[in-house]
């Protein structure tokens, strides 16, 4: 095959470039201090970040960098404080007994006020701060206004981005992708090495996809 022979001439060069990208940071690579990382991702809360350890890049998360997702006020801090959101208590029975059994970005937060966010970029733990201004909508409506669909209106612990719901339905219709396979892909995107440690929201995806389909049809119908 002429195409493969053409590529083979550059095989070593391509491999060298890939290895260089895994090495120490270069001046052109976007590197930030922790504070700048939080500020830069204010409008991109579901990006994955890596931390340079001195020898290699280690998987990390914006939550570990101290990022908090503030609802309303254009992502700024609510002047009236933070509204408490009722959440489900995580089942510790399913957690590893050894704290070091999970990579840092996959460990369940010890403090309340966080969400499990399912996005096309993977499954994230995200610290949340709802608006507490007088007359502000209920937390589940604030989440909806931010493009996040809560799996429950009573105890909000899991949300799906509109983007991931649209993407799943497109995959399901065009590629015949089942919900279980789609969520397995999201777990691989989150952690290719430890997909079994990623929160399993497969059941919630089934529920949310059905609701999202109906709402989308109603929206199209006007």
């Amino acid at each position: 095959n002429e195409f493969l022979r053409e590529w083979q001439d550059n095989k070593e060069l391509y491999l060298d470039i890939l290895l260089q990208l895994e090495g120490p940071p270069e001046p052109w690579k976007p590197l930030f201090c922790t504070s700048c990382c939080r500020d830069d991702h204010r409008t991109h809360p579901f990006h994955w970040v890596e931390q340079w350890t001195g020898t290699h890049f280690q998987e990390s998360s914006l939550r570990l960098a101290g990022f908090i997702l503030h609802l309303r006020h254009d992502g700024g801090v609510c002047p009236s404080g933070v509204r408490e959101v009722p959440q489900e208590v995580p089942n510790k029975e399913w957690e590893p007994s050894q704290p070091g059994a999970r990579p840092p970005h996959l460990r369940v937060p010890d403090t309340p006020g966080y969400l499990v966010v399912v996005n096309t970029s993977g499954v994230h733990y995200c610290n949340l701060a709802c608006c507490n201004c007088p007359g502000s909508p209920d937390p589940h409506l604030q989440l909806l206004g931010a493009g996040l669909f809560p799996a429950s209106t009573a105890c909000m612990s899991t949300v799906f981005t509109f983007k991931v719901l649209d993407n799943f339905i497109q995959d399901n219709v065009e590629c015949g992708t089942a919900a279980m396979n789609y969520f397995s892909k999201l777990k691989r995107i989150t952690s290719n090495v430890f997909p079994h440690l990623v929160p399993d929201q497969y059941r919630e995806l089934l529920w949310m996809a059905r609701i999202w389909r109906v709402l989308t049809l109603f929206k199209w119908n006007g």
Side-chain angles (χ1 to χ4, degrees):
N1 187 299
E2 191 66 29
F3 174 78
L4 293 179
R5 281 195 293 269
E6 178 184 336
W7 170 82
Q8 193 169 13
D9 294 337
N10 296 295
K11 179 177 63 176
E12 295 298 329
L13 179 60
Y14 281 23
L15 182 59
D16 287 342
I17 293 176
L18 291 177
L19 291 174
Q20 288 174 18
L21 294 174
E22 296 291 332
E26 299 291 341
W28 51 265
K29 202 173 182 71
L31 293 175
F32 306 96
C33 66
T34 303
S35 177
C36 291
C37 181
R38 288 196 301 265
D39 294 340
D40 191 69
H41 286 87
R42 183 172 171 178
T43 55
H44 305 286
F46 309 126
H47 279 185
W48 288 111
V49 295
E50 295 179 332
Q51 184 177 11
W52 180 250
T53 65
T55 58
H56 64 280
F57 284 107
Q58 183 182 53
E59 290 181 328
S60 186
S61 69
L62 290 171
R63 184 187 64 81
L64 294 177
F67 178 83
I68 299 175
L69 179 62
H70 293 276
L71 300 181
R72 298 168 64 88
H73 302 286
D74 295 323
V77 179
C78 177
S80 301
V82 177
R83 178 187 295 191
E84 292 187 4
V85 179
Q87 292 180 307
E88 295 180 1
V89 178
N91 190 350
K92 297 296 183 181
E93 181 181 349
W94 296 98
E95 293 301 312
S97 57
Q98 298 296 328
R102 288 177 181 264
H105 69 293
L106 295 179
R107 292 176 190 165
V108 179
D110 295 328
T111 56
Y114 71 89
L115 290 175
V116 175
V117 181
V118 183
N119 187 40
T120 52
S121 60
V123 183
H124 305 255
Y125 290 115
C126 183
N127 293 329
L128 176 71
C130 291
C131 173
N132 197 33
C133 290
S136 60
D138 290 339
H140 68 98
L141 298 178
Q142 293 186 34
L143 287 167
L144 205 64
L148 303 171
F149 204 118
S152 171
T153 58
C155 294
M156 285 157 288
S157 58
T158 302
V159 297
F160 291 77
T161 63
F162 293 178
K163 184 178 180 180
V164 77
L165 292 172
D166 282 335
N167 187 257
F168 165 63
I169 291 176
Q170 289 169 350
D171 268 20
N172 179 253
V173 172
E174 295 296 334
C175 308
T177 306
M180 180 175 291
N181 298 113
Y182 185 82
F183 201 84
S184 294
K185 181 185 76 171
L186 292 180
K187 292 200 288 187
R188 283 285 179 185
I189 293 173
T190 306
S191 177
N192 194 39
V193 181
F194 304 105
H196 59 289
L197 297 180
V198 177
D200 190 354
Q201 310 302 126
Y202 160 67
R203 181 182 60 178
E204 287 81 354
L205 175 61
L206 289 175
W207 299 340
M208 293 298 97
R210 293 180 65 182
I211 297 172
W212 188 249
R213 286 178 192 267
V214 172
L215 287 175
T216 302
L217 290 174
F218 283 157
K219 182 181 71 173
W220 289 344
N221 194 46

